[in-house]
Amino acid sequence: MATSFAVSFENRIRRDRTIFILKLEFLIIFTSAFVVLSITNQHILLKTVFAGLASATFFILLKDRLQRAGRRLRRAVVRSVRYAGPDWFFFLPVNQPFSLNPAGYEIEAVSEDFRLIRFLDWKPWKIGQQLLVLSDVSGKVLAVRDIRQPLKLELLKNLA
């Protein structure tokens, strides 16, 4: 299982909506191009290409919806925090305004069903802190939140 960057629940909702709209736009574009080519009776190869692209986009959109249905919320306790900074650096000025290597913290937590959860985050979590973790079917961490922060029910409905 690859270690992934975790984001907040709010950022995850924004990202999910943006990706869904992008995939929906591609589906509309490819489907409308297929319809226009069919109406104008264009070459069969062009119609086949756009029909294939529209079908592939539809199945990608369907797969995205099914993966979203398999998400799980888990409670977890942080067991270790390790700085995962860059292993090498460029010879740039000391106070560079940007970093070409992402630096963060590798967090290991144990969930309530005794599974080890690993993820990267920009901020360090304290050892022993309780988290609410949103993960997909494969166990990849999608979003993390402190369990003590208030959480709206509408927010959870949008994530699931």
Side-chain angles (χ1 to χ4, degrees):
M1 178 172 52
T3 308
S4 61
F5 270 103
V7 295
S8 67
F9 281 22
E10 293 83 7
N11 287 342
R12 189 68 203 180
I13 288 174
R14 273 186 247 137
R15 183 174 180 220
D16 286 345
R17 285 182 184 163
T18 305
I19 289 174
F20 176 72
I21 290 171
L22 179 68
K23 290 176 184 177
L24 191 63
E25 286 175 351
F26 276 122
L27 178 64
I28 291 170
I29 289 169
F30 292 144
T31 305
S32 61
F34 172 70
V35 168
V36 166
L37 289 174
S38 296
I39 290 174
T40 59
N41 206 7
Q42 294 294 322
H43 195 271
I44 188 75
L45 183 63
L46 282 174
K47 287 192 279 189
T48 306
V49 167
F50 279 105
L53 287 173
S55 299
T57 308
F58 175 74
F59 286 121
I60 288 171
L61 193 63
L62 186 64
K63 179 184 170 192
D64 181 46
R65 294 290 104 184
L66 290 175
Q67 284 180 346
R68 187 173 173 161
R71 291 181 177 174
R72 293 185 58 187
L73 277 175
R74 295 181 181 163
R75 290 185 309 172
V77 177
V78 176
R79 292 295 174 209
S80 72
V81 178
R82 186 174 63 92
Y83 179 71
D87 294 333
W88 52 275
F89 62 93
F90 288 107
F91 294 102
L92 295 175
V94 176
N95 293 329
Q96 57 192 17
F98 62 95
S99 175
L100 298 174
N101 296 328
Y105 296 91
E106 185 177 344
I107 313 293
E108 287 187 1
V110 177
S111 68
E112 57 191 5
D113 57 349
F114 300 110
R115 291 189 184 185
L116 183 64
I117 300 172
R118 290 183 185 167
F119 63 93
L120 296 172
D121 205 347
W122 300 110
K123 63 179 181 175
W125 295 94
K126 296 178 184 174
I127 295 176
Q129 189 172 8
Q130 293 184 351
L131 304 174
L132 189 60
V133 177
L134 178 73
S135 60
D136 62 358
V137 177
S138 65
K140 180 181 169 186
V141 176
L142 301 174
V144 176
R145 185 182 186 104
D146 187 8
I147 207 163
R148 293 185 184 131
Q149 291 179 348
L151 186 63
K152 295 181 181 180
L153 188 60
E154 298 142 7
L155 186 70
L156 287 177
K157 286 181 182 178
N158 287 335
L159 283 171

